[in-house]
Amino acid sequence: MNFAIVSEHATEATLVIQVPYESEPILEFPLDPVLNRTGNIWHAFLRGLDPGVEYGFRFARFPNESPQVFRFDPDRILLDPYSKATNRDWSWGERGSERQLRSVVVSSAFEWGLDKPLRIPLADSIFYELHVRAFSQHPASGVSRAGTFAGLTEKIPYLKDLGVTAVELLPVCEFEETRMTQAPAKGW
C-alpha cells in the first residue's frame, strides 16, 4: 500500500500501523524527511498489509520553530483524510465506543462488471454539487437511509429527471462529531 499525506509545516511524520481493537500500535514507521518527503507530501510504500489493518499518522514540529503558530501533538494519531474507510462502528450522532477513530486499509480491487463510461461530452454535461448528508437528510427527501451514501443512491432517478449527468461530492471526510473540544461558533 502506498501511504501519502500532505503536511507543509510538519518537520517529523510517523506512519502508525495498528490491529483492529488493539490499543497499542504494532508498527511505528518514522518517515525520513529526505527519503519519504517530496515537497509537502510525506509518503511510504509498505508491502504485506492485509485489508482491515488500521493506520494513522503522527506529526511533530521541532520545538524551536514557531510553536505559537503551528500546533502539533506527536502523541495523537490522526486520520488519513484520503483514506477509503475508517473503523467507525457507530451511527451518526451517537457517542461511539471509546476506540479511537482510525483509517483502514481496504482492498483496491473493484469489479466494474458491465459498467462503462457514459461518454457524455463535457459541453453537454450538467454537474450537481452536493454534500451527501445534507442532500438526503431531511424527511422530505423520501429516502429510507437519510444522510448516507445509500440514501443518495435512492435519489439518482430524481437527479436524472433534472438532467444531471454527473454528481460532484463536496468534501467527504470522517470526523468524530460528538467529541468537540470547543463550543460551536456563534450562530450555529
Side-chain angles (χ1 to χ4, degrees), residues 114-126 165-166:
L114 299 175
D115 284 348
K116 59 185 185 311
L118 297 176
R119 301 193 195 289
I120 298 170
L122 188 57
D124 298 331
S125 297
I126 297 174
T165 60

Side-chain angles (χ1 to χ4, degrees), residues 73-145:
D73 182 353
D75 293 328
R76 283 194 80 180
I77 300 172
L78 304 175
L79 278 175
D80 176 354
Y82 294 100
S83 63
K84 295 180 180 177
T86 66
N87 66 337
R88 184 183 189 113
D89 58 2
W90 59 93
S91 297
W92 177 267
E94 291 180 3
R95 180 92 168 143
S97 66
E98 292 306 310
R99 281 196 319 141
Q100 181 180 356
L101 193 57
R102 299 177 187 153
S103 299
V104 176
V105 173
V106 297
S107 172
S108 60
F110 182 79
E111 180 55 51
W112 286 96
L114 299 175
D115 284 348
K116 59 185 185 311
L118 297 176
R119 301 193 195 289
I120 298 170
L122 188 57
D124 298 331
S125 297
I126 297 174
F127 290 82
Y128 194 109
E129 292 181 343
L130 59 88
H131 284 97
V132 173
R133 183 167 181 260
F135 184 72
S136 64
Q137 181 180 355
H138 195 276
S141 70
V143 300
S144 61
R145 299 187 62 189

Side-chain angles (χ1 to χ4, degrees), residues 21-69:
Y21 299 101
E22 294 293 327
S23 59
E24 295 301 316
I26 59 169
L27 172 69
E28 295 208 26
F29 182 75
L31 302 179
D32 183 291
V34 175
L35 299 175
N36 301 108
R37 186 174 183 177
T38 304
N40 295 330
I41 301 173
W42 295 83
H43 50 82
F45 180 79
L46 296 180
R47 294 184 195 276
L49 293 179
D50 293 325
V53 169
E54 298 175 351
Y55 71 97
F57 293 93
R58 296 184 197 271
F59 289 103
R61 184 168 177 83
F62 294 139
N64 61 348
E65 296 186 32
S66 306
Q68 70 281 5
V69 177

